[in-house]
């Protein structure tokens, strides 16, 4: 049986997620479609992050016989300066109104970075963080801007990491994929990805972290994407279960392009203020480098004619 496709209307038509058409493997362990437990999202996050903190962070010597991954609940409570009973009630969802001071103390105990702290406060105080409906149509002016950036790959990413629009050079960069439609589908489900991304493991982890960071702006679409990926990609399911969170804003991405070979591009993600939930992604390259020459080759009319 094939998994159903998930579609979203974009400027260029419908975008498919989970559309590789691969049959499910018999006997594969079932993975929940559920994006998050809306009844206890805070508890799910705390449990996942607690399991990632080494025991020595609680001033405990490594113990080979220790059967609990990460910190115990009582250890987190001690580090945060709250009672064990209170912390247990937080994880179980029986305490619904923690103070900001308590959440900050728990964040310190769990050694959360700034992005994870922001996520913790967002799910701890959901009523204080209203979100606008995401915009899935790209304004003509933004499309025109990208088209005029002839030497710079540029594309717009929307809810659930759907690619809503792209200029010609961005499409050329990702030419080897079956479709330039959804970044998560491309990374985790397209067989080309592991050859295309020179550091696929890091790319996959970053993509999962970024999806969770962007989730509050488009919960419904994120749930759809997570559901499709979780049953098709064990790698994604494992990364998503870690509850790691972090927006992707700038980095160097290294590709092995089928036409021009290895190329390193500097990535920047810019918020589209006029369209909630959209980000303009652009790639630049170091002038005079081999990557610059290869990007120029991709942008040349000769390359287009060969295709």
């Amino acid at each position: 049986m094939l998994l159903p496709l998930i579609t979203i209307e974009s400027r260029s038509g419908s975008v498919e997620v989970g559309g590789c058409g691969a049959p499910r493997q018999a006997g594969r362990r079932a993975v929940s479609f559920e994006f998050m437990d809306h009844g206890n999202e805070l508890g799910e996050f705390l449990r996942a992050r607690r399991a990632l903190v080494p025991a020595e962070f609680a001033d405990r010597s490594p113990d080979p016989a220790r059967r609990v991954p990460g910190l115990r609940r009582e250890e987190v409570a001690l580090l945060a300066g709250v009672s064990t009973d209170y912390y247990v009630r937080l994880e179980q969802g029986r305490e619904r109104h923690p103070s900001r001071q308590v959440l900050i103390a728990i964040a310190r105990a769990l050694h959360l970075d700034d992005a994870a702290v922001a996520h913790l406060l967002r799910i701890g105080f959901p009523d204080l963080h209203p979100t606008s409906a995401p915009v899935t149509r790209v304004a003509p002016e933004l499309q025109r801007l990208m088209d005029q950036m002839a030497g710079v790959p540029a594309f717009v990413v929307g809810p659930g990491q759907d690619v809503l629009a792209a200029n010609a050079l961005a499409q050329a960069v990702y030419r080897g994929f079956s479709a330039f439609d959804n970044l998560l589908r491309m990374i985790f489900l397209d067989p080309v990805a592991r050859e295309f991304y020179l550091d696929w493991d890091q790319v996959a982890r970053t993509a999962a972290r970024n999806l969770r960071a962007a989730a509050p702006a488009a919960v419904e679409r994120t749930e759809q994407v997570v559901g499709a990926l979780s049953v098709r990609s064990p790698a994604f399911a494992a990364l998503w279960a870690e509850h790691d969170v972090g927006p992707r804003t700038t980095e160097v991405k290294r590709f092995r392009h089928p036409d021009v070979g290895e190329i390193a591009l500097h990535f920047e993600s810019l918020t589209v203020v006029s369209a909630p939930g959209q980000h303009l992604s652009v790639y630049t390259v170091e002038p005079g480098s081999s990557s610059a020459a290869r990007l120029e080759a991709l942008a040349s009319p000769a390359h287009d004619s060969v295709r």
Side-chain angles (χ1 to χ4, degrees):
M1 182 179 72
L2 303 185
L3 289 176
L5 299 179
I6 296 173
T7 63
I8 183 171
E9 290 298 317
S10 72
R11 184 174 181 271
S12 57
S14 62
V15 173
E16 298 179 349
V17 176
C20 290
R24 297 178 64 180
Q25 297 177 4
R28 176 180 291 178
R29 179 177 63 87
V31 181
S32 172
F33 275 88
E34 193 171 26
F35 157 56
M36 63 180 68
D37 179 355
H38 290 289
N40 190 21
E41 185 181 354
L42 177 60
E44 290 290 325
F45 180 75
L46 293 177
R47 282 194 292 273
R49 299 312 299 260
R50 173 168 59 86
L52 298 177
V53 183
E56 50 265 34
F57 280 61
D59 296 326
R60 302 294 178 94
S61 300
D63 181 5
R66 184 183 178 100
R67 293 184 291 178
V68 177
L71 298 179
R72 296 186 174 95
R73 288 169 169 171
E74 58 268 25
E75 291 169 342
V76 176
L78 179 63
L79 290 171
V82 299
S83 70
T84 298
D85 177 68
Y86 183 84
Y87 181 78
V88 168
R89 285 188 282 121
L90 272 180
E91 279 202 3
Q92 293 178 344
R94 294 186 291 120
E95 172 54 58
R96 299 286 183 171
H97 303 287
S99 68
R100 179 183 176 88
Q101 290 79 3
V102 165
L103 291 184
I104 292 297
I106 291 174
R108 286 197 297 266
L110 296 177
H111 295 267
L112 302 183
D113 60 18
D114 290 344
V117 172
H119 182 73
L120 175 63
L121 294 177
R122 191 160 51 236
I123 61 179
F125 305 107
D127 294 340
L128 299 182
H129 299 85
T131 58
S132 303
V135 178
T136 58
R137 299 280 178 172
V138 175
E141 296 80 8
L142 181 54
Q143 180 69 60
R144 186 163 57 246
L145 171 64
M146 290 190 296
D147 291 340
Q148 292 174 358
M149 299 165 64
V152 177
F155 54 99
V156 176
V157 176
Q161 299 300 291
D162 291 307
V163 179
L164 303 180
N167 67 6
L169 189 51
Q171 295 177 45
V173 168
Y174 288 96
R175 186 191 63 77
F177 286 87
S178 60
F180 186 25
D181 55 0
N182 179 282
L183 297 180
L184 275 296
R185 185 207 66 79
M186 294 163 66
I187 292 169
F188 288 99
L189 298 182
D190 198 311
V192 169
R194 290 182 182 267
E195 180 69 18
F196 179 76
Y197 293 105
L198 294 178
D199 45 2
W200 184 90
D201 289 339
Q202 182 58 42
V203 168
R205 179 171 294 277
T206 299
R209 297 176 74 239
N210 183 61
L211 180 64
R212 190 176 292 279
V219 173
E220 182 179 357
R221 180 58 182 156
T222 303
E223 288 179 336
Q224 293 174 338
V225 173
V226 170
L229 291 174
S230 293
V231 297
R232 297 283 294 277
S233 172
F236 174 81
L239 287 172
W240 191 252
E242 292 182 4
H243 283 254
D244 201 1
V245 56
R248 180 182 59 207
T249 55
T250 179
E251 62 181 317
V252 174
K253 300 180 83 66
R254 299 167 58 243
F255 307 136
R256 182 181 292 109
H257 195 278
D259 294 343
V260 299
E262 294 187 10
I263 185 169
L265 301 176
H266 182 78
F267 168 83
E268 290 281 348
S269 178
L270 310 172
T271 299
V272 180
V273 178
S274 60
Q278 291 185 12
H279 292 82
L280 174 63
S281 298
V282 294
Y283 289 138
T284 58
V285 68
E286 183 180 351
S289 65
S290 59
S291 292
R294 290 166 181 164
L295 185 62
E296 185 177 355
L298 281 178
S300 69
H303 178 267
D304 291 338
S305 65
V306 171
R307 292 174 55 198

